[in-house]
């Protein structure tokens, strides 16, 4: 069968928004990968959808679906996909049994985005230690939870899982003994050929003396970002501003909260810019990006983008995880609040140091996150699995066992909820 006649179905938790979230950025990259191969691509979500979201040259067909609704079975039978991509493990839990029941030959792919159980364990660690700089000391014993059971079961049930961070790839292999044959390392890719070349040049070449002020950027609704911003405003920025009274801190990103606003209003040196559409152009105006992430998982999209576009960034071990910054010792993650403050001050005042850090950051990102060969290798891997799907599933038979158990549990719960909904809303 040629790619011309193949179909890929994406089942997403929500409408992908690449400008505000790394998860949305990732989803769009995957959709575009299948489009480049001339697949017919469908995107199904429980949110109201609009095909106008995609660029004019996109042929993505959108579907609005519902939970515990047999109408999904009718839709997927008509589509008859060759590949089904689940957006995070919760989606696989909800729809996987239906997909496998209707289209057993469809190759199932789990896009993890990040290891949710890792993020949740680290969040709990910080909750119990509210003054800790970050969750780097969160031990592996804290990862063996009901959330890891659910997520790992989903990984085993799928034919292949896409892992965004090299750290998480190694964690799944070494700590949880997930076979490499079920995992594929696929990081976020910066694609300069798709960006405005003049903007990219300006971002990378604008000098230290042409820039001013500090930046914090992120989707403020995301729990790790919410915590990061509050920690910065409460514990870090007052000390940085005391040393650099001429500098301001600009906050960029959607979904601000009342508590965040209260903290920002305490200091006239903090300016809330809200949502900014053209982020690369904005990044070129600042001297230092501050990203004191205390918990989280996966790759931090705004940190990666900032470094790649030439904006030196001060972050924690959690913020730097998976970015290969250890390859460039001068960049390095900070280990404490005092070190974070000192590094921010040095970058802001030392032109030679700033220039060296900028150069190393761009080199690091170009070396690890600009190679489109990742997608070439992904397709080779998927094709190899598809060519011998029965053998692949026999090789990792534990996945079939977990499918059997989850099918019974999820199927009958889903059937019960479907019937309940029909009784409540018979129309």
């Amino acid at each position: 069968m040629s790619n011309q006649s193949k179909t890929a179905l994406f089942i997403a938790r929500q409408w992908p928004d690449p400008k505000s979230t790394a998860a949305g950025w990732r989803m769009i990259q995957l959709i575009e990968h299948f489009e480049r191969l001339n697949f017919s691509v469908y995107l199904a979500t429980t949110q109201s959808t609009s095909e106008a979201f995609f660029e004019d040259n996109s042929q993505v067909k959108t579907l609005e679906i519902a939970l515990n609704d047999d109408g999904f079975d009718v839709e997927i039978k008509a589509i008859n996909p060759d590949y089904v991509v689940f957006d995070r493990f919760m989606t696989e839990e909800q729809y996987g049994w239906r997909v496998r029941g209707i289209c057993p030959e469809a190759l199932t792919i789990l896009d993890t985005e990040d290891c949710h159980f890792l993020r949740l364990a680290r969040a709990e660690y910080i909750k119990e230690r509210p003054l800790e700089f970050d969750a780097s000391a969160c031990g592996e014993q804290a990862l063996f939870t009901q959330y890891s059971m659910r997520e790992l079961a989903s990984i085993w049930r799928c034919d292949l899982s896409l892992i965004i961070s090299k750290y998480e790839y190694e964690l799944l292999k070494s700590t949880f003994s997930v076979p490499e044959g079920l995992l594929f390392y696929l990081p976020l890719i910066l694609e300069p050929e798709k960006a405005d070349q003049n903007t990219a040049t300006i971002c990378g070449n604008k000098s230290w003396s042409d820039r001013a002020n500090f930046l914090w950027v992120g989707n403020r609704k995301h729990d790790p970002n919410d915590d990061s911003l509050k920690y910065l405003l409460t514990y870090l920025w007052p000390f940085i501003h005391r040393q650099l009274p001429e500098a301001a801190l600009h906050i960029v990103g959607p979904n601000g909260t009342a508590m965040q606003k209260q903290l920002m209003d305490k200091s006239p040196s903090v300016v809330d810019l809200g949502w900014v559409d053209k982020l690369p152009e904005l990044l070129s105006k600042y001297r230092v990006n501050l990203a004191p992430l205390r918990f989280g998982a996966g790759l931090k999209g705004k940190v990666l983008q900032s470094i790649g576009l030439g904006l030196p960034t001060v972050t924690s071990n959690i913020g730097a995880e998976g970015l290969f910054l250890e390859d460039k010792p001068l960049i390095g993650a900070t280990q404490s609040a005092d070190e974070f403050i000192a590094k921010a001050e040095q970058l802001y005042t030392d032109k030679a140091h700033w220039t060296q850090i900028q150069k190393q950051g761009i080199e690091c990102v170009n070396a690890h996150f600009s190679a489109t060969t990742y997608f070439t290798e992904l397709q080779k891997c998927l094709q190899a699995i598809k060519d011998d799907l029965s053998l692949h599933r026999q090789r990792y038979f534990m996945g079939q066992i977990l499918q059997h158990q989850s099918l019974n549990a999820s199927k009958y719960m889903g059937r019960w909820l479907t019937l309940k909904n029909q009784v409540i809303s018979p129309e």
Side-chain angles (χ1 to χ4, degrees), residues 126-139:
I126 290 297
K127 181 180 178 181
E128 294 173 356
R129 301 164 182 81
L131 299 181
E132 197 83 358
F133 177 62
D134 72 8
S136 297
C138 180

Side-chain angles (χ1 to χ4, degrees), residues 88-362:
R88 289 166 271 205
F89 80 92
M90 297 80 80
T91 303
E92 188 276 334
E93 286 182 329
Q94 294 161 345
Y95 295 99
W97 64 274
R98 290 183 180 273
V99 169
R100 296 179 183 101
I102 302 297
C103 304
E105 296 304 310
L107 191 154
T108 55
I109 304 164
L110 174 62
D111 185 31
T112 60
E113 301 290 356
D114 63 24
C115 285
H116 287 56
F117 69 84
L118 178 63
R119 171 163 49 83
L120 292 172
R122 288 170 169 174
E124 188 64 26
Y125 180 91
I126 290 297
K127 181 180 178 181
E128 294 173 356
R129 301 164 182 81
L131 299 181
E132 197 83 358
F133 177 62
D134 72 8
S136 297
C138 180
E140 287 188 350
Q141 67 276 7
L143 305 182
F144 292 84
T145 65
Q146 61 173 324
Y147 299 106
S148 59
M149 292 179 194
R150 289 173 57 193
E151 194 159 7
L152 288 164
S154 182
I155 289 172
W156 272 97
R157 285 193 296 265
C158 290
D159 297 310
L160 191 69
S161 290
L162 308 180
I163 312 302
I164 204 168
S165 163
K166 199 67 173 178
Y167 173 86
E168 292 178 7
Y169 184 91
E170 296 300 331
L171 176 73
L172 291 169
K173 278 175 48 186
S174 61
T175 301
F176 294 99
S177 302
V178 179
E180 282 192 90
L182 292 177
L183 306 175
F184 188 89
Y185 170 60
L186 184 69
L188 285 171
I189 304 298
L190 289 180
E191 300 178 83
E193 71 277 4
K194 295 187 65 177
D196 184 311
Q197 294 300 311
N198 294 326
T199 298
T201 301
I202 290 171
C203 290
N205 292 347
K206 207 166 185 179
S207 69
W208 174 90
S209 56
D210 293 329
R211 300 168 180 246
N213 299 320
F214 291 89
L215 174 71
W216 182 96
V217 57
N219 181 353
R220 289 182 256 179
K221 183 172 66 173
H222 188 44
D223 287 344
N225 292 342
D226 174 54
D227 175 82
S228 167
L229 180 55
K230 290 175 181 175
Y231 184 73
L232 173 63
L233 294 170
T234 304
Y235 296 104
L236 302 175
W237 178 246
F239 292 96
I240 296 172
H241 185 58
R242 190 177 304 162
Q243 296 299 318
L244 302 167
E246 76 283 3
L249 170 64
H250 291 185
I251 308 301
V252 171
N255 303 314
T257 68
M259 177 61 74
Q260 292 167 4
K261 185 177 186 304
Q262 287 179 19
L263 291 173
M264 287 186 280
D265 287 345
K266 289 182 179 181
S267 174
S269 64
V270 178
V271 180
D272 184 0
L273 298 183
W275 169 259
V276 174
D277 189 53
K278 296 183 178 180
L279 187 59
E281 184 177 337
L282 180 79
L283 295 179
S284 70
K285 299 177 181 179
Y286 293 94
R287 195 173 289 178
V288 180
N289 179 33
L290 302 177
L293 287 149
R294 299 203 296 165
F295 65 90
L299 289 180
K300 318 312 179 289
K302 294 300 185 287
V303 175
L304 172 63
Q305 188 176 21
S306 296
I307 294 173
L309 290 175
L311 176 59
T313 298
V314 186
T315 191
S316 60
N317 285 317
I318 301 299
E321 191 172 81
L323 294 178
F324 299 95
L325 297 187
E326 60 274 11
D327 291 355
K328 305 289 184 181
L330 284 179
I331 301 177
T334 56
Q335 311 298 318
S336 67
D338 288 343
E339 187 182 350
F340 186 99
I341 293 166
K343 190 165 186 177
E345 292 174 2
Q346 183 183 12
L347 275 172
Y348 200 83
T349 58
D350 187 336
K351 180 178 180 180
H353 180 67
W354 183 94
T355 303
Q356 192 173 17
I357 293 294
Q358 183 197 52
K359 179 176 180 291
Q360 288 195 358
I362 293 172

Side-chain angles (χ1 to χ4, degrees), residues 16-148:
D17 186 355
K19 289 187 177 181
S20 64
T21 69
W25 176 8
R26 162 61 153 234
M27 183 63 63
I28 294 299
Q29 287 193 339
L30 285 171
I31 288 171
E32 290 177 342
H33 165 68
F34 283 103
E35 284 193 304
R36 284 192 296 270
L37 295 174
N38 296 317
F39 276 61
S40 294
V41 179
Y42 291 79
L43 173 65
T45 78
T46 56
Q47 290 186 335
S48 297
T49 60
S50 169
E51 295 194 25
F53 179 89
F54 292 99
E55 297 178 359
D56 293 340
N57 60 352
S58 174
Q59 300 300 313
V60 175
K61 304 172 184 68
T62 59
L63 303 171
E64 187 175 343
I65 56 177
L67 287 172
N68 306 307
D69 180 10
D70 289 344
F72 175 83
D73 299 358
V74 177
E75 294 273 18
I76 193 173
K77 186 174 182 179
I79 295 170
N80 191 27
D82 299 281
Y83 297 84
V84 175
V85 182
F86 298 106
D87 172 25
R88 289 166 271 205
F89 80 92
M90 297 80 80
T91 303
E92 188 276 334
E93 286 182 329
Q94 294 161 345
Y95 295 99
W97 64 274
R98 290 183 180 273
V99 169
R100 296 179 183 101
I102 302 297
C103 304
E105 296 304 310
L107 191 154
T108 55
I109 304 164
L110 174 62
D111 185 31
T112 60
E113 301 290 356
D114 63 24
C115 285
H116 287 56
F117 69 84
L118 178 63
R119 171 163 49 83
L120 292 172
R122 288 170 169 174
E124 188 64 26
Y125 180 91
I126 290 297
K127 181 180 178 181
E128 294 173 356
R129 301 164 182 81
L131 299 181
E132 197 83 358
F133 177 62
D134 72 8
S136 297
C138 180
E140 287 188 350
Q141 67 276 7
L143 305 182
F144 292 84
T145 65
Q146 61 173 324
Y147 299 106
S148 59

